[in-house]
């Protein structure tokens, strides 16, 4: 069985509960407003033709569509995209949905964006290169977090968050664990960092990369947490923007 089939099946199975995790779909108007400000600030002026790679249930696509962009949402998982389509319909937003691999994107965009897709790609640099062809005169906006083995302190914090979640009997973020064989085969399957992302963006041929820390998103998200979770805080969020 190809790795891509395992990945697709995981996300199809995750689709029914994906939006239950606050990090996947904010319940708080303040957190949503902070994300909206970040997306508005980093994308070109609306209306632009924007491709959302690994769009999932539509976290970025819905924000961009509300801002007036012409959005195409690309994802491997029909289950995730079905949720996105339903959410867009409920708000009467127009988002074009495409089922397919991020490594073979459609063309003619002013910007390509992604959030939390790069870690689950077998070859992040190849995908970043393909996105250049999808927006040859355009912009890349990659929304990522610092987590896992990319940073020892963040790994400890992540363990602390997980320990507190279990102690409280809280629901996990996903329906199950990522298949270990899949995770082991992914270059960033155990963590991403600003350094990994900016290096890959440059290797893929994108120019003038800018690193932006999403402090307002972190601040608004941390303010929603109870103690002692608030002391640990949320994973550092950042965006890499290039052209
Ligand atoms: C962690 S979720 C992120 C979803 C969304 N971007 C968000 O911020 O909530 C990863 C998404 O990437 C999709 N995905 C994984 N590998 C993919 C690939 N090679 N091509 C397209 N989508 C992929 C999954 O189906 C899933 O919807």
């Amino acid at each position: 069985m190809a790795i891509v089939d395992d990945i697709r099946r995981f996300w199809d199975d995750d689709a029914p509960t994906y939006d239950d995790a606050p990090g996947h779909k904010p319940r708080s108007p303040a957190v949503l407003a902070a994300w909206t400000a970040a997306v508005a600030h980093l994308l070109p002026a609306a209306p632009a033709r924007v491709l959302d790679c690994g769009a999932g249930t539509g976290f970025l696509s819905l924000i961009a569509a509300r801002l007036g962009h012409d959005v195409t949402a690309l994802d491997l998982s029909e289950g995730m995209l079905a949720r996105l389509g339903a959410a867009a319909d409920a708000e009467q937003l127009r988002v074009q949905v495409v089922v397919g691999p991020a490594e073979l994107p459609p063309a003619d965009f002013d910007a390509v964006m992604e959030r939390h897709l790069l870690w689950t790609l077998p070859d992040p640099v190849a995908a970043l290169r393909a996105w250049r062809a999808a927006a040859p005169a355009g912009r890349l906006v990659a929304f990522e977090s610092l987590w896992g083995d990319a940073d020892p302190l963040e790994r400890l914090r992540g363990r602390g968050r997980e320990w507190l979640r279990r102690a409280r009997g809280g629901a996990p973020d996903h329906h199950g664990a990522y298949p270990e064989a899949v995770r082991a085969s992914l270059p960033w399957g155990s963590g991403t960092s600003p350094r990994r992302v900016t290096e890959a963006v440059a290797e893929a041929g994108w120019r003038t990369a800018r690193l932006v820390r999403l402090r307002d998103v972190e601040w608004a998200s941390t303010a929603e947490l109870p103690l002692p979770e608030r002391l640990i805080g949320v994973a550092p969020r950042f965006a890499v923007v290039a052209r």
Side-chain angles (χ1 to χ4, degrees):
M1 175 75 64
I3 278 179
V4 70
D5 294 322
D6 288 337
I7 292 176
R8 184 189 296 107
R9 185 165 343 102
F10 177 90
W11 293 106
D12 277 339
D13 292 346
D14 210 47
T17 50
Y18 182 83
D19 282 345
D20 294 347
H24 297 163
K25 180 172 181 160
R27 306 281 173 278
S28 150
V31 175
L32 181 59
W35 273 108
T36 302
V39 172
H41 181 61
L42 298 175
L43 283 181
R49 294 160 302 167
V50 178
L51 176 66
D52 182 8
C53 289
T57 56
F59 182 88
L60 291 178
S61 290
L62 296 169
I63 292 174
R66 285 183 209 119
L67 289 167
H69 291 293
D70 176 4
V71 181
T72 299
L74 173 65
D75 202 287
L76 272 186
S77 160
E78 278 187 52
M80 296 290 271
L81 288 179
R83 304 259 154 187
L84 187 160
D89 287 348
E91 288 190 55
Q92 298 186 324
L93 294 169
R94 244 175 33 88
V95 175
Q96 195 189 340
V97 160
V98 178
V99 179
E103 296 86 340
L104 292 172
D108 281 337
F109 292 95
D110 301 312
V112 178
M113 62 181 180
E114 66 85 29
R115 188 182 84 141
H116 298 162
L117 168 66
L118 293 173
W119 70 274
T120 185
L121 294 178
D123 188 342
V125 174
L128 285 161
R129 208 172 276 130
W131 300 346
R132 274 185 59 224
R139 187 180 299 185
L140 170 73
V141 186
F143 291 98
E144 288 294 336
S145 302
L146 174 62
W147 64 278
D149 71 357
D151 184 82
L153 186 55
E154 262 326 299
R155 191 172 45 200
L156 268 181
R157 285 206 182 100
R159 285 188 186 155
R161 280 183 214 109
E162 180 58 12
W163 188 87
L164 285 168
R165 181 192 68 76
R166 284 172 195 257
R168 286 185 190 277
D173 280 358
H174 298 284
H175 72 282
Y178 225 48
E180 207 37 60
V182 173
R183 189 185 281 279
S185 72
L186 302 170
W188 297 350
S190 300
T192 45
S193 69
R195 182 176 179 157
R196 283 183 186 171
V197 178
T198 47
E199 280 179 356
V201 163
E203 195 181 334
W206 291 92
R207 287 178 295 119
T208 56
R210 288 182 286 139
L211 176 64
V212 181
R213 177 103 181 237
L214 304 180
R215 287 196 183 278
D216 290 347
V217 170
E218 294 171 16
W219 174 55
S221 306
T222 304
E224 302 288 327
L225 298 175
L227 283 172
E229 281 86 342
R230 197 161 169 183
L231 294 172
I232 299 180
V234 296
R237 311 274 193 183
F238 63 92
V240 175
V241 184
R243 64 185 167 85

